[in-house]
Every structure is written in C-alpha cells, then in structure tokens.
Amino acid sequence: MRCKRRSGSAQTCSKASALVAETRNLLLELCHCHNKCVVFTHTATEALNTIIRGLQLKDGMKIYLSPFEHNSVTRTLHYLSKNCDFTVFDLAFDKGNGRYDLDGISEQFLRNNPNVVIVSHASNVCGVVAPILEIAKVAKEYDAATVFDMCQTMGLIDTDLSLDAVDYAVFAGHKTLYSPFGVAGFISKASPLLAPLIYGGTGIDSASPELPSTIPERYEAASPNIQAIAGLNASLRWIMETGIGNIFQREQANRDRLVALLKGYDNIHIVPQADGDSIGVVSCVFDGYGSDNIGHVLSDHNIAVRTGLHCSPAAHRFLGTFPGGTVRFSVSFFNNDEDFALLEDALSYIQSNS
C-alpha cells in the first residue's frame, strides 16, 4: 500500500493541497523517512488516541510504557481497560543515573513478550531523553507495535525515523516545531491499517459509505487546519535553514546556564537530572512554598513557567513529586541574556522574601 494525497479542482483548493503535500514532505525530510507517511490531526492528543484506540487492543495483551507518559496515553489506556483485560508494565529505568536500562528492558520483554510499546521520547517533566530507536529494535524482535511520543523532540533532536522498527511517531506543531496551535499528527508506515477514530468526509471516493483504505485519507476525515499547516510549513523551513543540530546545541547551552543559575539558590531543589541527553526542561521544588505559589510570583516578574503535574501524574509519582508537582522551567533556542537576568532577579526576590 502506498501513501496517497487528496486533491481538489479549484485553483485555491489546488494551492492548499499543494501546501499540505509540501508540508508532509518537509516533515519526512526532517525525520529522514521518505519511506513513511504523515497524518495530520488537530492535536497530539487526537493523534495518540487515533493510534492507541486504532490498534484495537485485546485481552491478554502486554503493553509497556515509559515512566513519564502524558495523560494522553495513560487516560486513553485507562478508558480502554474498562472493557479490555490487558496488562501494563513500566519500562526498566535506572533512577541512579537517570537513564533507561536497556539490558533490563530486554529481560522484561523476554519474560513478558510485548504487544505494544509506547515511549515519550523526552519527558515533559524532567527532560530525560529515551533511546527510542534502541527500544524499537528490541520491541520488534517480538513483533510489538511501537509508538513514540515526539511532541517534545521533533524539530529539536535529529532522529532517523526510517527504521522499520518505528511504527508511529507523534508530533505537536506548537512545541519544538515552532508552529501555531491547531496542527499535530503522526508519522507512520503505510500499513498495517489502524481502525479509524473519526468518520466523515475525506474529499475522495465520496460515494462509498466506507472510509478510504489509503493513508492519510483514512485518518483525516473533515477539513484540515490550513492556516496552522501553513505556519508549520514556514517553521519547518526555518528549522532546516537554521540546522536542527544548531538548534539543539543552543538549547543545551541555555539549559546548562539555567541549571547553573538554579543551583546557586539553597531554597531550590532540582528534580534529579539524567546523566545523558536531556531537553531544555528543568523541574524544581522550592522550600516552604507550593509550585502554584511560586508560579504566581514568577509571573509577577514576567517569568513564564508551568506548575503542578504538567498532565503527567505518572512521571511525578515516579519522581516522588506527587501530588504537589513542580515548578517547570523551559528554555529553548530563543532565550537570551535578558531572559536570564530577569529570572535571576525573580529568584533572588523569592529567596530574600522566604
């Protein structure tokens, strides 16, 4: 089966279709995987639901998750577990060095053969990066379906998704792809087919009561968000012109600077970081204050952070920061000296008034 593209006859529709097709190709080029297909959704939550529910889980299946999964994964599985008796396992992870235990994962798979493996490429709580290609290769020894949540990493970490062991890779346009809200999706093989999540018009074969069997049409019922896709097109061009390696290097430098700054305050405790790769996300707890209180103070000083559980309670349970959560700082390619000066002033104010 090959990936097909919808088309229209009117000039405006043709231009829109060409833009969408070009954006798919840019994503495939970014991820080095022209052997695969791009499916657009409106959110990454919709994409993950499309994949997980489309796999049609069955009684007795064994599903492996990272310890850091988002509610888009865990709540979907919780819902499905009400009518399906599958077992969920956490992938082996060494808290001592903040790395995935690949030998331990191999042993887990040998003891309880996986049917589905779902892994966040990078935690949105502590930033730890998973070795997804290595995990995929081991999972495919058991013919398991592999699903990787790359919302925090696509456009930031250069990853070759052409590997046959990678079945699905989910992205969110508004995160490390720097596009507007309203476009997300997943990269997948052309087969096997998932059961559709949404039914409706696709612009082709409209006389049939059945959805098309072609990808992406099978999973793109209704009208796409052309404006958001146009924004994604522009941001992908910027990423390629700037260089994904350069973007990651700048973010790493800003992350190191952030960690050094936070470590200068005795009242701030950083959630343990990985010894290996990590994205520009750093979570902290502050002595004597809940995360929401600190968030309000930082907001008053023009510092934007996210507080609480970050839609990932499983990660906080694993890290020992449940139920209060953390103050999560995020840096990127775009942070500058002024940003760090503002942050230092705000942190000094909190320390002096504690």
Side-chain angles (χ1 to χ4, degrees):
M1 181 180 297
R2 64 189 181 89
C3 305
K4 294 186 178 180
R5 307 287 180 259
R6 72 180 74 180
S7 62
S9 56
Q11 185 177 13
T12 301
C13 184
S14 295
K15 288 182 179 179
S17 295
L19 173 71
V20 172
E22 181 183 67
T23 308
R24 294 189 210 274
N25 286 328
L26 288 171
L27 279 164
L28 295 176
E29 182 178 347
L30 180 73
C31 298
H32 316 286
C33 58
H34 283 285
N35 59 327
K36 296 190 176 176
C37 306
V38 173
V39 174
F40 285 124
T41 60
H42 296 93
T43 67
T45 297
E46 182 186 336
L48 284 162
N49 270 263
T50 299
I51 296 165
I52 296 170
R53 296 174 71 173
L55 288 170
Q56 297 182 294
L57 304 179
K58 297 179 176 59
D59 291 348
M61 281 189 166
K62 300 175 181 66
I63 301 170
Y64 284 84
L65 306 180
S66 83
F68 306 108
E69 293 310 309
H70 191 275
N71 275 337
S72 298
V73 171
T74 56
R75 282 182 171 172
T76 304
L77 289 172
H78 176 73
Y79 167 75
L80 294 174
S81 71
K82 295 177 181 180
N83 296 300
C84 186
D85 186 20
F86 51 79
T87 305
V88 176
F89 300 87
D90 280 341
L91 291 168
F93 189 90
D94 188 339
K95 284 188 177 181
N97 62 20
R99 292 175 180 265
Y100 284 82
D101 181 357
L102 290 173
D103 290 337
I105 290 170
S106 295
E107 292 174 6
Q108 286 180 300
F109 288 178
L110 183 61
R111 288 195 305 269
N112 293 286
N113 298 173
N115 300 107
V116 181
V117 177
I118 305 173
V119 184
S120 284
H121 193 192
S123 168
N124 74 324
V125 175
C126 63
V128 63
V129 175
I132 57 173
L133 299 184
E134 290 86 347
I135 293 171
K137 290 174 185 176
V138 180
K140 275 303 170 186
E141 293 177 10
Y142 303 90
D143 201 29
T146 57
V147 183
F148 300 114
D149 179 349
M150 295 185 66
C151 291
Q152 306 290 334
T153 57
M154 193 174 291
L156 176 65
I157 298 178
D158 195 4
T159 307
D160 186 345
L161 296 181
S162 65
L163 186 71
D164 191 57
V166 176
D167 292 320
Y168 306 101
V170 175
F171 61 89
H174 69 277
K175 296 192 178 182
T176 49
L177 290 170
Y178 304 112
S179 77
F181 282 97
V183 61
F186 58 94
I187 292 174
S188 78
K189 296 177 182 176
S191 62
L193 291 177
L194 299 165
L197 178 67
I198 299 171
Y199 290 77
T202 59
I204 67 167
D205 198 16
S206 296
S208 173
E210 301 287 343
L211 276 172
S213 60
T214 52
I215 302 174
E217 288 83 4
R218 184 171 179 82
Y219 312 115
E220 292 186 355
S223 300
N225 187 337
I226 296 297
Q227 292 92 334
I229 293 173
L232 176 59
N233 185 289
S235 64
L236 285 166
R237 291 181 176 280
W238 176 83
I239 290 169
M240 291 174 178
E241 290 170 4
T242 306
I244 191 170
N246 294 327
I247 294 170
F248 183 68
Q249 185 177 26
R250 177 83 66 84
E251 179 168 307
Q252 289 290 285
N254 281 331
R255 178 187 174 277
D256 291 344
R257 186 174 179 181
L258 172 64
V259 170
L261 177 59
L262 294 169
K263 284 183 175 180
Y265 295 87
D266 294 336
N267 62 321
I268 301 174
H269 306 283
I270 300 174
V271 171
Q273 300 289 299
D275 286 347
D277 290 337
S278 182
I279 60 171
V281 170
V282 180
S283 273
C284 304
V285 292
F286 284 66
D287 286 341
Y289 295 96
S291 62
D292 287 343
N293 297 124
I294 296 297
H296 288 309
V297 175
L298 290 172
S299 179
D300 289 341
H301 286 77
N302 295 316
I303 302 296
V305 296
R306 189 167 177 190
T307 61
L309 298 177
H310 319 113
C311 295
S312 187
H316 286 279
R317 288 189 178 96
F318 184 77
L319 295 167
T321 51
F322 186 88
T326 58
V327 178
R328 187 187 72 188
F329 296 90
S330 300
V331 292
S332 74
F333 176 91
F334 298 102
N335 289 107
N336 55 34
D337 291 344
E338 181 181 354
D339 297 328
F340 284 100
L342 281 172
L343 177 58
E344 186 172 8
D345 288 344
L347 296 178
S348 296
Y349 171 85
I350 291 170
Q351 183 182 55
S352 62
N353 288 276
S354 296

